[in-house]
């Protein structure tokens, strides 16, 4: 009789609740045969289902032997704060039910006091002290369905009640009012129509603020009623397959939304704040990343420089800039240019924002140990020609990426630095020896995004106007957008990139090896003809692509450096 690994069945045998013949008969019903370590839950289920074992008698014996209370979960009235402490998926996985919460103590109905993994795991997840009580497993399963379904139904009732309150307060506009689901859909549709890149849902105490980020600038989109905040957040979480009961910890999820035949991927992030959960939706459309190098806004000389870098057989090319400066778009445009049937391309990203046909894309999953460094090591065993690392954040990732660049791979990655030359010192600050940086690095692209003048209302001066704001540019045309319905009166529509391209030749390799600082590297690159971010911005302002104000706000004075 195989019962050594099964303490509950051993106890049932010892107490006379079961006989060996009954256990053998129940085990014979298991199809397919039970695997080692998998017998107890399934065997107990069969024993109880066929009536060979009384679940309540077993629970009573377990409670007496362990000195725990026996509870009736069928009649339990579980408060919302107890249910919200434990995700339904965990309750179902371990067959447990939260009964009550008092401060840092969570009372929990369990069916198996020998399941220490469940009690310890739930205590770690909730950061609460677990106070166990015993109940039959089948009664717990029924109570889980009833209690969590009731909690979800309560959210629906809240949404309906909110809609009813609005109808009662404004009966004349009842036909125009919508339930929460339609409200969320309307907010998403308006965001798409206004070309928003993300939507911010923010509880501010007396306000429930919704803002769109359009062309990199946040704009208020109108405040929904404050009392709808919880219902809207719950709806967004449901869309993104997030845990609606968890309100104390940040969560991330993904969803898809179709509007006017366009499929959008939504990255959803929730963050607990003083007045409730703040939720941000980032809107990603597959078509927006299918850019070539020409569509990025590069001048002809810069396109030629990047083309030379992309033609290299090995080495490292970095793209630098702050968050939201378009680094990922530039990297994808480079990969799109290189994506040919005779090349194997692998990327590691956090997260994978857009899927590229023909490219092997690996998402970072820190919880499972799939870090940038771990993924990069595994990628190298796949014999790729081209590697893209979403971001170099630490010494380990930097060293692996540089070694890959030195062993026959073309490596692309990003860094958060102010300018191109700053990427060199950033790698050295991470702990990479200067001689490795000098040997591996082939080029650096620094970039910014500035708003583009609306083409429908641009005002082109008949004669160049004087601009005393820009040293070295005493006379240049100052184009402006007058403001029109197309740009919502802002004078801007869309964005254009500013670029600074630094290439590494033999002299710069020697300078890096010798530990030259940013100012010296930058000065040498400019002497070779590198256009700085501000210089690139001013020539684009002169061409009517953007305004001088946008350039000055997004770049630093070349005379002062960074």
């Amino acid at each position: 009789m195989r019962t050594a690994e099964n303490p509950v069945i051993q106890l049932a045998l010892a107490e006379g609740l079961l006989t060996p013949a009954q256990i053998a008969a129940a085990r014979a019903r298991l199809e397919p045969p039970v695997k080692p370590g998998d017998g107890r839950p399934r065997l107990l289920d069969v024993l109880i289902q066929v009536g060979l074992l009384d679940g309540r008698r077993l629970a009573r014996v377990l409670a007496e032997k362990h000195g725990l209370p026996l509870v009736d979960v069928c009649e339990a009235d579980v408060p919302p704060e107890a249910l919200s402490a434990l995700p339904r998926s965990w309750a179902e996985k371990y067959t447990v039910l939260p009964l009550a919460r008092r401060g840092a103590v969570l009372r929990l109905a369990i069916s198996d006091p020998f399941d220490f993994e469940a009690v310890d795991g739930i205590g770690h997840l909730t950061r609460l002290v677990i106070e166990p009580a015993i109940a039959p497993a089948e009664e717990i399963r029924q109570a889980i369905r009833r209690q969590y379904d009731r909690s979800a139904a309560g959210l629906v009732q809240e949404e309906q009640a909110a809609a009813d309150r609005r109808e009662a307060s404004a009966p004349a506009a009842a036909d125009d009012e919508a339930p929460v689901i339609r409200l969320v859909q309307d907010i998403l549709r308006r965001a798409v129509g206004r070309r928003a890149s993300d939507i911010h849902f923010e509880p501010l105490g007396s306000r429930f603020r919704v803002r769109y980020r359009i062309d990199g600038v946040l704009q208020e989109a109108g405040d929904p009623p404050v009392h709808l905040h919880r219902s809207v957040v719950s709806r967004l979480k449901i869309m993104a397959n997030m845990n609606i009961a968890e309100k104390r910890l940040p969560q991330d999820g993904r969803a898809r939304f179709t509007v006017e035949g366009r499929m959008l991927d939504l990255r959803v992030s929730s963050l607990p704040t003083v007045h409730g959960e703040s939720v941000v939706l980032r809107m990603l459309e597959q078509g927006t990343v299918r850019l070539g190098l020409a569509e990025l806004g590069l001048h002809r000389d810069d396109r030629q420089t990047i083309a030379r870098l992309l033609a290299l057989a090995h080495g490292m090319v970095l793209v630098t800039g702050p968050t939201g400066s378009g680094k990922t778009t530039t990297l994808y445009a480079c990969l799109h240019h290189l994506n040919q049937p005779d090349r194997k391309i692998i990327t590691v990203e956090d997260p994978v924002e857009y899927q590229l046909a023909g490219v092997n894309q690996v998402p970072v999953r820190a919880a499972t140990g799939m870090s940038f460094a771990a993924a990069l090591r595994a990628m190298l065993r796949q014999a790729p020609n081209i590697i893209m690392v979403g971001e170099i954040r630490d010494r380990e990732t930097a060293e692996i990426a540089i070694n890959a660049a030195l062993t026959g791979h073309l490596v692309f990655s990003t860094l958060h630095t102010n300018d191109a030359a700053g990427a060199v010192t950033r790698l050295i600050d991470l702990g990479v020896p200067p001689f490795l940086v000098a040997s591996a690095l082939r080029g650096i692209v620094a970039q910014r995004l500035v708003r583009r003048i609306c083409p429908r209302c641009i005002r082109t001066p008949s004669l160049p106007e004087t601009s005393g704001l820009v040293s070295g540019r005493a006379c240049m045309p100052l184009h402006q957008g007058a403001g029109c319905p197309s740009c919502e009166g802002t004078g801007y529509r869309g964005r254009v990139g500013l670029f600074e391209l630094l290439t590494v030749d033999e002299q710069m390799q020697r300078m890096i090896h010798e530990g030259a600082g940013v100012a010296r590297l930058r000065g040498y690159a400019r002497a070779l003809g590198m256009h700085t971010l501000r210089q690139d911005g001013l020539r684009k302002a002169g061409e009517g692509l953007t305004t001088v104000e946008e350039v000055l706000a997004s770049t630093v004075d070349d005379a002062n450096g960074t």
Side-chain angles (χ1 to χ4, degrees):
M1 185 63 60
R2 295 172 294 172
T3 59
E5 79 286 359
N6 197 324
V8 174
I9 291 181
Q10 284 184 327
L11 180 62
L13 280 169
E15 295 295 321
L17 303 180
L18 283 174
T19 66
Q22 288 173 324
I23 295 174
R27 183 173 280 117
R29 290 173 173 265
L30 293 176
E31 295 291 342
V34 180
K35 298 179 181 178
D38 190 37
R40 177 171 55 80
R42 294 172 61 188
L43 184 57
L44 283 175
D45 289 343
V46 172
L47 286 165
I48 294 172
Q49 288 168 6
V50 300
L52 296 175
L53 181 61
D54 186 326
R56 280 208 72 73
R57 287 186 62 194
L58 175 63
R60 188 176 301 111
V61 170
L62 288 169
E64 291 173 355
K65 291 296 182 182
H66 288 271
L68 297 173
L70 181 68
V71 294
D72 184 359
V73 295
C74 298
E75 302 297 329
D77 184 14
V78 181
E81 62 269 19
L83 289 175
S84 65
L86 185 69
R88 179 172 183 163
S89 59
W90 279 61
E92 292 174 338
K93 176 180 179 181
Y94 291 113
T95 315
V96 299
L97 178 71
L99 298 173
R101 178 177 176 181
R102 300 186 304 276
V105 178
L106 180 66
R107 194 172 191 221
L108 198 69
I110 63 175
S111 63
D112 181 5
F114 293 103
D115 193 351
F116 303 110
E117 177 188 351
V119 175
D120 292 343
I122 292 169
H124 179 73
L125 171 73
T126 61
R127 302 180 185 234
L128 298 173
V129 177
I130 303 303
E131 182 183 277
I134 301 296
E138 184 55 34
E139 292 182 11
I140 290 178
R141 292 190 188 97
Q142 294 174 2
I144 289 171
R145 291 191 292 270
R146 183 173 60 256
Q147 296 290 347
Y148 281 96
D149 287 348
R150 182 185 301 168
S151 176
L155 289 173
V156 174
Q157 290 173 0
E158 284 184 14
E159 293 178 1
Q160 186 59 52
D164 292 343
R165 285 194 296 270
R166 284 185 292 153
E167 291 175 1
S169 62
D175 293 340
D176 296 330
E177 295 292 331
V180 169
I181 292 176
R182 190 180 302 174
L183 171 62
V184 171
Q185 291 175 338
D186 288 344
I187 291 173
L188 288 170
R189 288 194 184 97
R190 289 199 303 271
V192 172
R194 296 182 63 182
R195 304 173 297 103
S197 59
D198 46 65
I199 312 172
H200 296 247
F201 297 84
E202 302 165 314
L204 302 177
S206 60
R207 294 180 60 192
F208 175 24
R209 183 171 66 182
V210 175
R211 293 192 290 176
Y212 297 149
R213 189 180 297 278
I214 302 172
D215 296 334
V217 179
L218 282 170
Q219 300 181 21
E220 295 200 2
D223 295 355
V226 176
H227 65 268
L228 292 183
H229 169 253
R230 287 181 56 193
S231 298
V232 169
V233 170
S234 296
R235 174 58 188 165
L236 295 172
K237 285 185 171 183
I238 290 171
M239 290 174 59
N241 293 317
M242 296 159 67
N243 181 8
I244 63 173
E246 178 57 72
K247 298 178 174 63
R248 302 169 305 149
L249 298 174
Q251 295 186 66
D252 294 299
R254 304 195 76 153
R256 286 194 168 181
F257 182 75
T258 303
V259 55
E260 297 180 358
R262 298 160 59 188
M263 178 68 74
L264 299 175
D265 288 326
L266 306 178
R267 280 175 49 196
V268 185
S269 170
S270 70
L271 180 69
T273 71
V274 172
H275 299 293
E277 290 179 281
S278 171
V279 178
V280 175
L281 272 64
R282 186 172 184 189
M283 308 174 67
L284 307 171
E285 186 176 4
Q286 295 291 337
T288 60
V289 77
R290 296 180 187 138
L291 299 177
L293 297 178
E295 287 77 19
L296 291 177
L298 291 158
H299 273 281
R300 182 177 178 180
D301 54 347
D302 288 337
R303 287 203 304 271
Q304 292 173 344
T305 301
I306 285 190
R308 288 196 299 272
L309 293 174
L310 298 184
L312 296 173
H314 57 83
M316 174 179 282
V317 177
L318 295 175
V319 181
T320 75
T323 300
S325 60
K327 298 187 296 296
T328 300
T329 301
T330 298
L331 285 176
Y332 280 178
C334 292
L335 295 182
H336 178 73
H337 178 84
L338 293 168
N339 191 10
Q340 301 295 330
D342 61 341
R343 294 167 176 159
K344 178 159 186 171
I345 303 175
I346 306 181
T347 74
V348 54
E349 306 170 61
D350 183 19
V352 175
E353 295 187 358
Y354 300 98
Q355 295 183 16
L356 303 176
V359 176
N360 299 274
Q361 295 174 269
V362 180
V364 167
R365 292 190 177 94
T368 61
M370 182 62 86
S371 62
F372 276 112
L376 191 49
R377 287 195 202 92
M379 288 161 55
L380 293 175
R381 295 193 289 271
Q382 295 280 311
N385 303 104
I386 299 164
I387 294 170
M388 192 269 272
V389 183
E391 183 182 349
I392 293 178
R393 300 176 179 173
D394 52 51
R395 176 178 178 175
E396 185 179 18
T397 305
E399 289 184 338
I400 297 172
I402 283 181
N403 285 327
L406 293 173
T407 54
H409 304 86
L410 186 57
V411 179
F412 296 89
S413 190
T414 70
L415 280 175
H416 289 280
T417 63
N418 291 325
D419 64 355
V424 174
T425 56
R426 175 61 178 153
L427 288 174
I428 295 173
D429 289 343
L430 286 173
V432 181
F435 75 92
L436 287 180
V437 176
S439 300
L441 201 56
R442 296 292 179 268
I444 307 168
V445 181
Q447 67 180 73
R448 298 290 188 276
L449 287 177
V450 294
R451 289 183 293 176
R452 184 189 293 267
I453 297 175
C454 176
R456 296 193 178 184
C457 62
I458 185 172
R459 294 186 306 177
T460 305
S462 56
L463 293 173
E465 300 178 19
T466 300
S467 173
L469 298 174
V470 186
S471 60
R473 289 267 181 165
C475 204
M476 65 176 296
L478 299 181
H479 303 271
Q480 296 285 343
C484 66
S486 178
C487 61
E488 300 185 9
T490 63
Y492 298 98
R493 184 177 175 87
R495 290 192 287 179
V496 64
L498 309 183
F499 299 91
E500 177 178 291
L501 273 67
L502 182 152
T503 56
V504 180
D505 62 5
E506 291 184 2
Q507 175 60 28
M508 182 162 288
Q509 285 182 325
R510 285 193 291 270
M511 294 170 64
I512 295 172
H513 196 178
E514 294 168 359
V518 172
R520 188 178 166 200
L521 294 174
R522 183 181 176 89
Y524 177 74
R526 292 185 65 178
L528 291 182
M530 179 188 78
H531 293 285
T532 65
L533 287 167
R534 176 157 291 188
Q535 287 174 332
D536 190 48
L538 291 177
R539 62 178 174 175
K540 286 173 180 173
E543 295 167 359
L545 295 176
T546 187
T547 63
V548 172
E549 290 79 8
E550 281 288 295
V551 174
L552 296 179
S554 302
T555 62
V556 297
D557 189 344
D558 292 334
N560 297 326
T562 60

